[in-house]
Amino acid sequence: MRQGSTLIASIHTALDDTELVRFEHDLIEQIGEHRSPGVIIDVAALDVIDSFAALTLKRIAEMARLRGALTVIVGIQPEVAFTMVQLGMGTGNVPTALDLDEGLSMLADQGRGRGTSTPPSAWGPTT
């Protein structure tokens, strides 16, 4: 799905490793096809994010960055955030937002600042 030039990818159900890799591949291709400068990955429907899923989300963000797109992960549920922290998992330097609106706002703010050397870690809190 797209909103303006931003790609929005929602994960509605837990994906196995093969499905996650397919999701990763498809999303990276969509970035080029739509020339999207921003990507939002909505994980609000997930009640579990395992270590492979967390690593895949980080990889997607890095590949998107290499293709010229900024990535924000939105909708991490409180229980999921708690478990991820307890297990030492996180999103690294990939910014997160509470919901889709906040994620779109983050990308819009960053888009206005393009051309500056502001690293993603300076966008705000990450998990």
Side-chain angles (χ1 to χ4, degrees):
M1 176 169 94
R2 288 188 321 175
Q3 182 161 339
S5 60
T6 300
L7 270 179
I8 301 170
S10 294
I11 302 175
H12 296 287
T13 184
L15 303 176
D16 65 29
D17 293 355
T18 302
E19 293 168 325
L20 273 169
V21 171
R22 188 175 324 120
F23 172 78
E24 173 183 61
H25 178 76
D26 291 347
L27 185 54
I28 297 305
E29 287 210 1
Q30 291 290 313
I31 290 168
E33 183 176 318
H34 297 289
R35 304 186 60 79
S36 298
V39 177
I40 292 179
I41 301 174
D42 186 349
V43 297
L46 299 182
D47 56 1
V48 173
I49 295 179
D50 65 17
S51 59
F52 184 77
L55 177 62
T56 301
L57 291 172
K58 286 188 238 182
R59 263 196 338 251
I60 290 170
E62 182 62 15
M63 285 186 266
R65 187 189 65 76
L66 291 170
R67 305 242 20 224
L70 305 171
T71 302
V72 177
I73 298 170
V74 303
I76 297 175
Q77 296 300 318
E79 302 82 18
V80 174
F82 180 78
T83 302
M84 289 176 73
V85 169
Q86 292 288 67
L87 296 175
M89 299 182 323
T91 62
N93 288 332
V94 182
T96 60
L98 189 59
D99 57 28
L100 182 58
D101 289 336
E102 187 177 317
L104 287 167
S105 178
M106 287 175 76
L107 286 175
D109 290 348
Q110 185 62 18
R112 284 190 284 276
R114 278 210 168 203
T116 66
S117 59
T118 307
S121 59
W123 294 1
T126 60
T127 51

